[in-house]
Amino acid sequence: MAMIQFTRNYTDRSNNFGFQFEFQCDKCRNGHLSPFIASKVGVATGILKAAGSLFGGSLSRAAYAGQHVKDALRGSAWDEAYGEAVEEAKQHFEHCSRCGHWVCPQACWNEARGLCEDCAPDLHEEAAHIQAKVAVEQAWDKARKVDQVEALDMKAARSAAASACPHCRARVAGGKFCSECGKPLAAAKVHCSECGVEMKPQARFCSECGTPQRR
């Protein structure tokens, strides 16, 4: 018995009325859909079911029997349809003798080498790919050699990041008073009313003696 191809990369699209298979390229996954092969038993059973729904009786019983016949013949009928589909699909793929893969001739077959492009890459395509990859790497290197933040004042940036009202924490862009709460931006020093230690303006308790602070 001849060996069956496409046992790995196919999808069964068959239904109750016939058989159809989708075969895929082992490399790029592009596919070929085989012609639909009608199942004589399945079509006949469908007709009997439709007639039985209208007339009932013996036609319904015949449809039920036809369903069992179809199930009994499904194995051999499926095998025959699959074999026909494989023979038809082989015309749309190339078989690599080195790795055994079946690939599409349009994108994944090196005609000059007689092998798939995984085993024998197209040198022109590889050269274009390498050139593009090296160009990207060189662009990164070139960008690193140029000061991309020459105009950035780090001190000013730090000051801007820290520019917030000490009372309401609203962002401010300079000036002496907050545009949100109207309080002075230069926070006055706060001292504990009990021990006199300097405290943060928003502190509710003294970190030294624990005394609550009045506002």
Side-chain angles (χ1 to χ4, degrees), residues 70-108:
K70 185 184 68 173
D71 291 339
L73 297 178
R74 181 182 296 273
S76 60
W78 187 95
D79 290 342
E80 183 179 347
Y82 178 68
E84 291 182 21
V86 166
E87 290 303 314
E88 189 274 336
K90 285 167 61 177
Q91 304 173 30
H92 303 277
F93 293 88
E94 296 288 350
H95 187 217
C96 180
S97 59
R98 182 177 182 276
C99 66
H101 288 173
W102 289 85
V103 299
C104 62
Q106 296 85 356
C108 302

PDB file of all heavy atoms in Angstrom, residues 70-108:
ATOM      1  N   LYS A  70     -25.381   5.393   6.835  1.00  0.00           N
ATOM      2  CA  LYS A  70     -24.321   6.388   6.597  1.00  0.00           C
ATOM      3  C   LYS A  70     -23.221   6.266   7.637  1.00  0.00           C
ATOM      4  O   LYS A  70     -22.031   6.331   7.328  1.00  0.00           O
ATOM      5  CB  LYS A  70     -24.926   7.794   6.634  1.00  0.00           C
ATOM      6  CG  LYS A  70     -23.932   8.894   6.287  1.00  0.00           C
ATOM      7  CD  LYS A  70     -24.539  10.258   6.441  1.00  0.00           C
ATOM      8  CE  LYS A  70     -24.814  10.537   7.903  1.00  0.00           C
ATOM      9  NZ  LYS A  70     -25.261  11.927   8.128  1.00  0.00           N
ATOM     10  N   ASP A  71     -23.601   6.082   8.909  1.00  0.00           N
ATOM     11  CA  ASP A  71     -22.611   5.923   9.963  1.00  0.00           C
ATOM     12  C   ASP A  71     -21.782   4.670   9.752  1.00  0.00           C
ATOM     13  O   ASP A  71     -20.569   4.652  10.019  1.00  0.00           O
ATOM     14  CB  ASP A  71     -23.302   5.861  11.327  1.00  0.00           C
ATOM     15  CG  ASP A  71     -23.903   7.202  11.721  1.00  0.00           C
ATOM     16  OD1 ASP A  71     -23.470   8.226  11.173  1.00  0.00           O
ATOM     17  OD2 ASP A  71     -24.814   7.204  12.575  1.00  0.00           O
ATOM     18  N   ALA A  72     -22.420   3.609   9.262  1.00  0.00           N
ATOM     19  CA  ALA A  72     -21.696   2.359   9.035  1.00  0.00           C
ATOM     20  C   ALA A  72     -20.715   2.481   7.889  1.00  0.00           C
ATOM     21  O   ALA A  72     -19.642   1.857   7.896  1.00  0.00           O
ATOM     22  CB  ALA A  72     -22.691   1.238   8.748  1.00  0.00           C
ATOM     23  N   LEU A  73     -21.056   3.280   6.889  1.00  0.00           N
ATOM     24  CA  LEU A  73     -20.196   3.416   5.703  1.00  0.00           C
ATOM     25  C   LEU A  73     -19.230   4.591   5.810  1.00  0.00           C
ATOM     26  O   LEU A  73     -18.424   4.811   4.912  1.00  0.00           O
ATOM     27  CB  LEU A  73     -21.070   3.583   4.448  1.00  0.00           C
ATOM     28  CG  LEU A  73     -21.994   2.406   4.102  1.00  0.00           C
ATOM     29  CD1 LEU A  73     -22.819   2.756   2.881  1.00  0.00           C
ATOM     30  CD2 LEU A  73     -21.182   1.133   3.856  1.00  0.00           C
ATOM     31  N   ARG A  74     -19.347   5.364   6.906  1.00  0.00           N
ATOM     32  CA  ARG A  74     -18.541   6.588   7.011  1.00  0.00           C
ATOM     33  C   ARG A  74     -17.043   6.293   6.910  1.00  0.00           C
ATOM     34  O   ARG A  74     -16.292   7.000   6.283  1.00  0.00           O
ATOM     35  CB  ARG A  74     -18.837   7.297   8.336  1.00  0.00           C
ATOM     36  CG  ARG A  74     -18.058   8.599   8.508  1.00  0.00           C
ATOM     37  CD  ARG A  74     -18.349   9.237   9.862  1.00  0.00           C
ATOM     38  NE  ARG A  74     -19.739   9.634   9.968  1.00  0.00           N
ATOM     39  CZ  ARG A  74     -20.180  10.825   9.532  1.00  0.00           C
ATOM     40  NH1 ARG A  74     -19.351  11.664   8.970  1.00  0.00           N
ATOM     41  NH2 ARG A  74     -21.446  11.139   9.660  1.00  0.00           N
ATOM     42  N   GLY A  75     -16.580   5.225   7.545  1.00  0.00           N
ATOM     43  CA  GLY A  75     -15.158   4.929   7.553  1.00  0.00           C
ATOM     44  C   GLY A  75     -14.585   4.730   6.164  1.00  0.00           C
ATOM     45  O   GLY A  75     -13.667   5.432   5.745  1.00  0.00           O
ATOM     46  N   SER A  76     -15.126   3.815   5.408  1.00  0.00           N
ATOM     47  CA  SER A  76     -14.606   3.542   4.068  1.00  0.00           C
ATOM     48  C   SER A  76     -14.850   4.708   3.131  1.00  0.00           C
ATOM     49  O   SER A  76     -14.014   5.028   2.277  1.00  0.00           O
ATOM     50  CB  SER A  76     -15.248   2.265   3.515  1.00  0.00           C
ATOM     51  OG  SER A  76     -16.666   2.417   3.435  1.00  0.00           O
ATOM     52  N   ALA A  77     -16.009   5.355   3.257  1.00  0.00           N
ATOM     53  CA  ALA A  77     -16.311   6.497   2.393  1.00  0.00           C
ATOM     54  C   ALA A  77     -15.350   7.643   2.672  1.00  0.00           C
ATOM     55  O   ALA A  77     -14.851   8.309   1.751  1.00  0.00           O
ATOM     56  CB  ALA A  77     -17.759   6.948   2.597  1.00  0.00           C
ATOM     57  N   TRP A  78     -15.062   7.871   3.968  1.00  0.00           N
ATOM     58  CA  TRP A  78     -14.132   8.945   4.340  1.00  0.00           C
ATOM     59  C   TRP A  78     -12.742   8.637   3.817  1.00  0.00           C
ATOM     60  O   TRP A  78     -12.067   9.513   3.270  1.00  0.00           O
ATOM     61  CB  TRP A  78     -14.114   9.100   5.859  1.00  0.00           C
ATOM     62  CG  TRP A  78     -13.322  10.289   6.348  1.00  0.00           C
ATOM     63  CD1 TRP A  78     -13.794  11.522   6.646  1.00  0.00           C
ATOM     64  CD2 TRP A  78     -11.907  10.326   6.584  1.00  0.00           C
ATOM     65  NE1 TRP A  78     -12.784  12.344   7.054  1.00  0.00           N
ATOM     66  CE2 TRP A  78     -11.603  11.636   7.022  1.00  0.00           C
ATOM     67  CE3 TRP A  78     -10.884   9.404   6.453  1.00  0.00           C
ATOM     68  CZ2 TRP A  78     -10.310  12.035   7.343  1.00  0.00           C
ATOM     69  CZ3 TRP A  78      -9.584   9.798   6.768  1.00  0.00           C
ATOM     70  CH2 TRP A  78      -9.302  11.097   7.220  1.00  0.00           C
ATOM     71  N   ASP A  79     -12.287   7.396   3.997  1.00  0.00           N
ATOM     72  CA  ASP A  79     -10.949   7.013   3.538  1.00  0.00           C
ATOM     73  C   ASP A  79     -10.802   7.215   2.034  1.00  0.00           C
ATOM     74  O   ASP A  79      -9.774   7.704   1.551  1.00  0.00           O
ATOM     75  CB  ASP A  79     -10.673   5.548   3.888  1.00  0.00           C
ATOM     76  CG  ASP A  79     -10.490   5.336   5.379  1.00  0.00           C
ATOM     77  OD1 ASP A  79     -10.245   6.334   6.083  1.00  0.00           O
ATOM     78  OD2 ASP A  79     -10.600   4.180   5.828  1.00  0.00           O
ATOM     79  N   GLU A  80     -11.813   6.839   1.304  1.00  0.00           N
ATOM     80  CA  GLU A  80     -11.763   6.982  -0.159  1.00  0.00           C
ATOM     81  C   GLU A  80     -11.729   8.458  -0.561  1.00  0.00           C
ATOM     82  O   GLU A  80     -10.951   8.862  -1.422  1.00  0.00           O
ATOM     83  CB  GLU A  80     -12.974   6.297  -0.779  1.00  0.00           C
ATOM     84  CG  GLU A  80     -12.984   6.323  -2.304  1.00  0.00           C
ATOM     85  CD  GLU A  80     -14.182   5.605  -2.891  1.00  0.00           C
ATOM     86  OE1 GLU A  80     -14.877   4.881  -2.146  1.00  0.00           O
ATOM     87  OE2 GLU A  80     -14.427   5.772  -4.104  1.00  0.00           O
ATOM     88  N   ALA A  81     -12.570   9.268   0.103  1.00  0.00           N
ATOM     89  CA  ALA A  81     -12.602  10.693  -0.215  1.00  0.00           C
ATOM     90  C   ALA A  81     -11.278  11.360   0.159  1.00  0.00           C
ATOM     91  O   ALA A  81     -10.770  12.219  -0.577  1.00  0.00           O
ATOM     92  CB  ALA A  81     -13.757  11.363   0.524  1.00  0.00           C
ATOM     93  N   TYR A  82     -10.716  10.965   1.304  1.00  0.00           N
ATOM     94  CA  TYR A  82      -9.432  11.534   1.729  1.00  0.00           C
ATOM     95  C   TYR A  82      -8.330  11.176   0.737  1.00  0.00           C
ATOM     96  O   TYR A  82      -7.493  12.018   0.388  1.00  0.00           O
ATOM     97  CB  TYR A  82      -9.088  11.030   3.128  1.00  0.00           C
ATOM     98  CG  TYR A  82      -7.751  11.518   3.638  1.00  0.00           C
ATOM     99  CD1 TYR A  82      -7.556  12.858   3.938  1.00  0.00           C
ATOM    100  CD2 TYR A  82      -6.686  10.638   3.807  1.00  0.00           C
ATOM    101  CE1 TYR A  82      -6.330  13.311   4.402  1.00  0.00           C
ATOM    102  CE2 TYR A  82      -5.459  11.081   4.280  1.00  0.00           C
ATOM    103  CZ  TYR A  82      -5.283  12.413   4.577  1.00  0.00           C
ATOM    104  OH  TYR A  82      -4.066  12.866   5.027  1.00  0.00           O
ATOM    105  N   GLY A  83      -8.306   9.923   0.276  1.00  0.00           N
ATOM    106  CA  GLY A  83      -7.304   9.514  -0.704  1.00  0.00           C
ATOM    107  C   GLY A  83      -7.398  10.320  -1.987  1.00  0.00           C
ATOM    108  O   GLY A  83      -6.379  10.740  -2.553  1.00  0.00           O
ATOM    109  N   GLU A  84      -8.621  10.546  -2.460  1.00  0.00           N
ATOM    110  CA  GLU A  84      -8.813  11.364  -3.674  1.00  0.00           C
ATOM    111  C   GLU A  84      -8.343  12.795  -3.440  1.00  0.00           C
ATOM    112  O   GLU A  84      -7.720  13.413  -4.317  1.00  0.00           O
ATOM    113  CB  GLU A  84     -10.287  11.348  -4.074  1.00  0.00           C
ATOM    114  CG  GLU A  84     -10.791  10.014  -4.581  1.00  0.00           C
ATOM    115  CD  GLU A  84     -12.251  10.094  -5.007  1.00  0.00           C
ATOM    116  OE1 GLU A  84     -12.716  11.228  -5.285  1.00  0.00           O
ATOM    117  OE2 GLU A  84     -12.907   9.048  -5.057  1.00  0.00           O
ATOM    118  N   ALA A  85      -8.662  13.323  -2.250  1.00  0.00           N
ATOM    119  CA  ALA A  85      -8.266  14.700  -1.943  1.00  0.00           C
ATOM    120  C   ALA A  85      -6.750  14.835  -1.877  1.00  0.00           C
ATOM    121  O   ALA A  85      -6.175  15.831  -2.332  1.00  0.00           O
ATOM    122  CB  ALA A  85      -8.889  15.139  -0.614  1.00  0.00           C
ATOM    123  N   VAL A  86      -6.068  13.838  -1.328  1.00  0.00           N
ATOM    124  CA  VAL A  86      -4.603  13.867  -1.247  1.00  0.00           C
ATOM    125  C   VAL A  86      -3.994  13.877  -2.636  1.00  0.00           C
ATOM    126  O   VAL A  86      -3.069  14.649  -2.933  1.00  0.00           O
ATOM    127  CB  VAL A  86      -4.091  12.664  -0.435  1.00  0.00           C
ATOM    128  CG1 VAL A  86      -2.589  12.482  -0.641  1.00  0.00           C
ATOM    129  CG2 VAL A  86      -4.389  12.858   1.039  1.00  0.00           C
ATOM    130  N   GLU A  87      -4.486  13.015  -3.504  1.00  0.00           N
ATOM    131  CA  GLU A  87      -3.949  12.953  -4.871  1.00  0.00           C
ATOM    132  C   GLU A  87      -4.145  14.278  -5.595  1.00  0.00           C
ATOM    133  O   GLU A  87      -3.283  14.725  -6.347  1.00  0.00           O
ATOM    134  CB  GLU A  87      -4.629  11.810  -5.641  1.00  0.00           C
ATOM    135  CG  GLU A  87      -4.237  10.427  -5.165  1.00  0.00           C
ATOM    136  CD  GLU A  87      -2.732  10.207  -5.235  1.00  0.00           C
ATOM    137  OE1 GLU A  87      -2.118  10.560  -6.270  1.00  0.00           O
ATOM    138  OE2 GLU A  87      -2.160   9.703  -4.251  1.00  0.00           O
ATOM    139  N   GLU A  88      -5.292  14.925  -5.349  1.00  0.00           N
ATOM    140  CA  GLU A  88      -5.550  16.216  -5.989  1.00  0.00           C
ATOM    141  C   GLU A  88      -4.668  17.311  -5.374  1.00  0.00           C
ATOM    142  O   GLU A  88      -4.134  18.167  -6.074  1.00  0.00           O
ATOM    143  CB  GLU A  88      -7.030  16.563  -5.827  1.00  0.00           C
ATOM    144  CG  GLU A  88      -7.503  17.775  -6.634  1.00  0.00           C
ATOM    145  CD  GLU A  88      -7.290  19.094  -5.909  1.00  0.00           C
ATOM    146  OE1 GLU A  88      -7.222  19.080  -4.659  1.00  0.00           O
ATOM    147  OE2 GLU A  88      -7.181  20.138  -6.578  1.00  0.00           O
ATOM    148  N   ALA A  89      -4.466  17.272  -4.042  1.00  0.00           N
ATOM    149  CA  ALA A  89      -3.705  18.313  -3.358  1.00  0.00           C
ATOM    150  C   ALA A  89      -2.222  18.239  -3.676  1.00  0.00           C
ATOM    151  O   ALA A  89      -1.522  19.264  -3.660  1.00  0.00           O
ATOM    152  CB  ALA A  89      -3.924  18.215  -1.845  1.00  0.00           C
ATOM    153  N   LYS A  90      -1.698  17.060  -3.948  1.00  0.00           N
ATOM    154  CA  LYS A  90      -0.274  16.901  -4.236  1.00  0.00           C
ATOM    155  C   LYS A  90       0.169  17.776  -5.405  1.00  0.00           C
ATOM    156  O   LYS A  90       1.330  18.163  -5.490  1.00  0.00           O
ATOM    157  CB  LYS A  90       0.045  15.431  -4.529  1.00  0.00           C
ATOM    158  CG  LYS A  90       0.062  14.547  -3.294  1.00  0.00           C
ATOM    159  CD  LYS A  90       0.072  13.069  -3.654  1.00  0.00           C
ATOM    160  CE  LYS A  90       1.309  12.691  -4.460  1.00  0.00           C
ATOM    161  NZ  LYS A  90       1.340  11.230  -4.729  1.00  0.00           N
ATOM    162  N   GLN A  91      -0.744  18.093  -6.284  1.00  0.00           N
ATOM    163  CA  GLN A  91      -0.410  18.926  -7.443  1.00  0.00           C
ATOM    164  C   GLN A  91      -0.137  20.373  -7.039  1.00  0.00           C
ATOM    165  O   GLN A  91       0.432  21.132  -7.824  1.00  0.00           O
ATOM    166  CB  GLN A  91      -1.560  18.890  -8.460  1.00  0.00           C
ATOM    167  CG  GLN A  91      -1.951  17.489  -8.910  1.00  0.00           C
ATOM    168  CD  GLN A  91      -3.190  17.497  -9.774  1.00  0.00           C
ATOM    169  OE1 GLN A  91      -3.453  18.466 -10.482  1.00  0.00           O
ATOM    170  NE2 GLN A  91      -3.964  16.429  -9.710  1.00  0.00           N
ATOM    171  N   HIS A  92      -0.562  20.740  -5.839  1.00  0.00           N
ATOM    172  CA  HIS A  92      -0.434  22.132  -5.396  1.00  0.00           C
ATOM    173  C   HIS A  92       0.689  22.328  -4.388  1.00  0.00           C
ATOM    174  O   HIS A  92       0.849  23.431  -3.858  1.00  0.00           O
ATOM    175  CB  HIS A  92      -1.766  22.597  -4.787  1.00  0.00           C
ATOM    176  CG  HIS A  92      -2.931  22.472  -5.717  1.00  0.00           C
ATOM    177  ND1 HIS A  92      -3.225  23.426  -6.668  1.00  0.00           N
ATOM    178  CD2 HIS A  92      -3.854  21.475  -5.856  1.00  0.00           C
ATOM    179  CE1 HIS A  92      -4.298  23.049  -7.346  1.00  0.00           C
ATOM    180  NE2 HIS A  92      -4.702  21.876  -6.873  1.00  0.00           N
ATOM    181  N   PHE A  93       1.462  21.288  -4.105  1.00  0.00           N
ATOM    182  CA  PHE A  93       2.555  21.372  -3.147  1.00  0.00           C
ATOM    183  C   PHE A  93       3.802  20.706  -3.713  1.00  0.00           C
ATOM    184  O   PHE A  93       3.731  19.904  -4.637  1.00  0.00           O
ATOM    185  CB  PHE A  93       2.169  20.680  -1.821  1.00  0.00           C
ATOM    186  CG  PHE A  93       1.078  21.362  -1.061  1.00  0.00           C
ATOM    187  CD1 PHE A  93      -0.254  21.058  -1.321  1.00  0.00           C
ATOM    188  CD2 PHE A  93       1.365  22.310  -0.094  1.00  0.00           C
ATOM    189  CE1 PHE A  93      -1.278  21.679  -0.627  1.00  0.00           C
ATOM    190  CE2 PHE A  93       0.349  22.936   0.606  1.00  0.00           C
ATOM    191  CZ  PHE A  93      -0.979  22.628   0.340  1.00  0.00           C
ATOM    192  N   GLU A  94       4.943  21.073  -3.145  1.00  0.00           N
ATOM    193  CA  GLU A  94       6.210  20.435  -3.489  1.00  0.00           C
ATOM    194  C   GLU A  94       6.703  19.654  -2.269  1.00  0.00           C
ATOM    195  O   GLU A  94       6.554  20.113  -1.132  1.00  0.00           O
ATOM    196  CB  GLU A  94       7.251  21.481  -3.896  1.00  0.00           C
ATOM    197  CG  GLU A  94       6.914  22.265  -5.151  1.00  0.00           C
ATOM    198  CD  GLU A  94       7.046  21.426  -6.422  1.00  0.00           C
ATOM    199  OE1 GLU A  94       7.584  20.303  -6.341  1.00  0.00           O
ATOM    200  OE2 GLU A  94       6.608  21.910  -7.477  1.00  0.00           O
ATOM    201  N   HIS A  95       7.313  18.502  -2.525  1.00  0.00           N
ATOM    202  CA  HIS A  95       7.775  17.637  -1.442  1.00  0.00           C
ATOM    203  C   HIS A  95       9.293  17.728  -1.335  1.00  0.00           C
ATOM    204  O   HIS A  95      10.016  17.410  -2.284  1.00  0.00           O
ATOM    205  CB  HIS A  95       7.355  16.189  -1.717  1.00  0.00           C
ATOM    206  CG  HIS A  95       7.644  15.271  -0.580  1.00  0.00           C
ATOM    207  ND1 HIS A  95       8.068  13.977  -0.753  1.00  0.00           N
ATOM    208  CD2 HIS A  95       7.578  15.467   0.759  1.00  0.00           C
ATOM    209  CE1 HIS A  95       8.249  13.408   0.432  1.00  0.00           C
ATOM    210  NE2 HIS A  95       7.948  14.293   1.355  1.00  0.00           N
ATOM    211  N   CYS A  96       9.771  18.210  -0.167  1.00  0.00           N
ATOM    212  CA  CYS A  96      11.213  18.337   0.038  1.00  0.00           C
ATOM    213  C   CYS A  96      11.791  16.977   0.411  1.00  0.00           C
ATOM    214  O   CYS A  96      11.401  16.383   1.424  1.00  0.00           O
ATOM    215  CB  CYS A  96      11.498  19.361   1.144  1.00  0.00           C
ATOM    216  SG  CYS A  96      13.261  19.603   1.472  1.00  0.00           S
ATOM    217  N   SER A  97      12.720  16.503  -0.383  1.00  0.00           N
ATOM    218  CA  SER A  97      13.300  15.177  -0.139  1.00  0.00           C
ATOM    219  C   SER A  97      14.273  15.186   1.036  1.00  0.00           C
ATOM    220  O   SER A  97      14.626  14.128   1.556  1.00  0.00           O
ATOM    221  CB  SER A  97      14.014  14.681  -1.408  1.00  0.00           C
ATOM    222  OG  SER A  97      15.040  15.588  -1.785  1.00  0.00           O
ATOM    223  N   ARG A  98      14.705  16.374   1.482  1.00  0.00           N
ATOM    224  CA  ARG A  98      15.653  16.440   2.587  1.00  0.00           C
ATOM    225  C   ARG A  98      14.947  16.369   3.951  1.00  0.00           C
ATOM    226  O   ARG A  98      15.332  15.584   4.817  1.00  0.00           O
ATOM    227  CB  ARG A  98      16.478  17.724   2.507  1.00  0.00           C
ATOM    228  CG  ARG A  98      17.539  17.826   3.615  1.00  0.00           C
ATOM    229  CD  ARG A  98      18.375  19.086   3.457  1.00  0.00           C
ATOM    230  NE  ARG A  98      19.417  19.160   4.479  1.00  0.00           N
ATOM    231  CZ  ARG A  98      19.228  19.640   5.704  1.00  0.00           C
ATOM    232  NH1 ARG A  98      18.036  20.107   6.056  1.00  0.00           N
ATOM    233  NH2 ARG A  98      20.221  19.668   6.572  1.00  0.00           N
ATOM    234  N   CYS A  99      13.910  17.197   4.139  1.00  0.00           N
ATOM    235  CA  CYS A  99      13.233  17.236   5.436  1.00  0.00           C
ATOM    236  C   CYS A  99      11.876  16.551   5.426  1.00  0.00           C
ATOM    237  O   CYS A  99      11.291  16.306   6.479  1.00  0.00           O
ATOM    238  CB  CYS A  99      13.064  18.680   5.917  1.00  0.00           C
ATOM    239  SG  CYS A  99      11.962  19.671   4.884  1.00  0.00           S
ATOM    240  N   GLY A 100      11.375  16.253   4.216  1.00  0.00           N
ATOM    241  CA  GLY A 100      10.089  15.568   4.111  1.00  0.00           C
ATOM    242  C   GLY A 100       8.879  16.469   4.165  1.00  0.00           C
ATOM    243  O   GLY A 100       7.747  15.983   4.121  1.00  0.00           O
ATOM    244  N   HIS A 101       9.079  17.776   4.265  1.00  0.00           N
ATOM    245  CA  HIS A 101       7.949  18.689   4.351  1.00  0.00           C
ATOM    246  C   HIS A 101       7.292  18.897   2.990  1.00  0.00           C
ATOM    247  O   HIS A 101       7.942  18.822   1.941  1.00  0.00           O
ATOM    248  CB  HIS A 101       8.402  20.045   4.915  1.00  0.00           C
ATOM    249  CG  HIS A 101       8.720  19.992   6.369  1.00  0.00           C
ATOM    250  ND1 HIS A 101       9.277  21.049   7.055  1.00  0.00           N
ATOM    251  CD2 HIS A 101       8.566  19.002   7.283  1.00  0.00           C
ATOM    252  CE1 HIS A 101       9.445  20.725   8.329  1.00  0.00           C
ATOM    253  NE2 HIS A 101       9.023  19.486   8.487  1.00  0.00           N
ATOM    254  N   TRP A 102       5.982  19.183   3.049  1.00  0.00           N
ATOM    255  CA  TRP A 102       5.225  19.575   1.865  1.00  0.00           C
ATOM    256  C   TRP A 102       5.018  21.074   1.934  1.00  0.00           C
ATOM    257  O   TRP A 102       4.440  21.575   2.903  1.00  0.00           O
ATOM    258  CB  TRP A 102       3.883  18.845   1.819  1.00  0.00           C
ATOM    259  CG  TRP A 102       4.000  17.386   1.522  1.00  0.00           C
ATOM    260  CD1 TRP A 102       4.242  16.390   2.415  1.00  0.00           C
ATOM    261  CD2 TRP A 102       3.893  16.769   0.243  1.00  0.00           C
ATOM    262  NE1 TRP A 102       4.301  15.174   1.771  1.00  0.00           N
ATOM    263  CE2 TRP A 102       4.090  15.370   0.442  1.00  0.00           C
ATOM    264  CE3 TRP A 102       3.659  17.237  -1.050  1.00  0.00           C
ATOM    265  CZ2 TRP A 102       4.047  14.452  -0.609  1.00  0.00           C
ATOM    266  CZ3 TRP A 102       3.602  16.327  -2.086  1.00  0.00           C
ATOM    267  CH2 TRP A 102       3.802  14.953  -1.874  1.00  0.00           C
ATOM    268  N   VAL A 103       5.488  21.797   0.930  1.00  0.00           N
ATOM    269  CA  VAL A 103       5.425  23.255   0.977  1.00  0.00           C
ATOM    270  C   VAL A 103       4.807  23.808  -0.295  1.00  0.00           C
ATOM    271  O   VAL A 103       4.776  23.151  -1.337  1.00  0.00           O
ATOM    272  CB  VAL A 103       6.834  23.871   1.175  1.00  0.00           C
ATOM    273  CG1 VAL A 103       7.441  23.408   2.487  1.00  0.00           C
ATOM    274  CG2 VAL A 103       7.752  23.522   0.012  1.00  0.00           C
ATOM    275  N   CYS A 104       4.305  25.040  -0.187  1.00  0.00           N
ATOM    276  CA  CYS A 104       3.705  25.691  -1.357  1.00  0.00           C
ATOM    277  C   CYS A 104       4.815  26.174  -2.294  1.00  0.00           C
ATOM    278  O   CYS A 104       5.843  26.678  -1.836  1.00  0.00           O
ATOM    279  CB  CYS A 104       2.822  26.853  -0.924  1.00  0.00           C
ATOM    280  SG  CYS A 104       3.683  28.168  -0.049  1.00  0.00           S
ATOM    281  N   PRO A 105       4.651  26.008  -3.596  1.00  0.00           N
ATOM    282  CA  PRO A 105       5.696  26.419  -4.540  1.00  0.00           C
ATOM    283  C   PRO A 105       5.821  27.927  -4.677  1.00  0.00           C
ATOM    284  O   PRO A 105       6.866  28.431  -5.087  1.00  0.00           O
ATOM    285  CB  PRO A 105       5.251  25.766  -5.854  1.00  0.00           C
ATOM    286  CG  PRO A 105       3.774  25.608  -5.728  1.00  0.00           C
ATOM    287  CD  PRO A 105       3.510  25.359  -4.275  1.00  0.00           C
ATOM    288  N   GLN A 106       4.767  28.681  -4.310  1.00  0.00           N
ATOM    289  CA  GLN A 106       4.794  30.128  -4.525  1.00  0.00           C
ATOM    290  C   GLN A 106       5.757  30.840  -3.590  1.00  0.00           C
ATOM    291  O   GLN A 106       6.442  31.784  -3.997  1.00  0.00           O
ATOM    292  CB  GLN A 106       3.382  30.715  -4.346  1.00  0.00           C
ATOM    293  CG  GLN A 106       2.363  30.246  -5.353  1.00  0.00           C
ATOM    294  CD  GLN A 106       1.707  28.929  -4.964  1.00  0.00           C
ATOM    295  OE1 GLN A 106       2.075  28.316  -3.953  1.00  0.00           O
ATOM    296  NE2 GLN A 106       0.763  28.489  -5.763  1.00  0.00           N
ATOM    297  N   ALA A 107       5.828  30.421  -2.335  1.00  0.00           N
ATOM    298  CA  ALA A 107       6.603  31.182  -1.353  1.00  0.00           C
ATOM    299  C   ALA A 107       7.682  30.379  -0.653  1.00  0.00           C
ATOM    300  O   ALA A 107       8.635  30.966  -0.142  1.00  0.00           O
ATOM    301  CB  ALA A 107       5.647  31.769  -0.308  1.00  0.00           C
ATOM    302  N   CYS A 108       7.555  29.053  -0.615  1.00  0.00           N
ATOM    303  CA  CYS A 108       8.421  28.272   0.272  1.00  0.00           C
ATOM    304  C   CYS A 108       9.257  27.222  -0.444  1.00  0.00           C
ATOM    305  O   CYS A 108       9.833  26.343   0.217  1.00  0.00           O
ATOM    306  CB  CYS A 108       7.565  27.593   1.350  1.00  0.00           C
ATOM    307  SG  CYS A 108       6.598  28.757   2.332  1.00  0.00           S
TER     308      CYS A 108
END
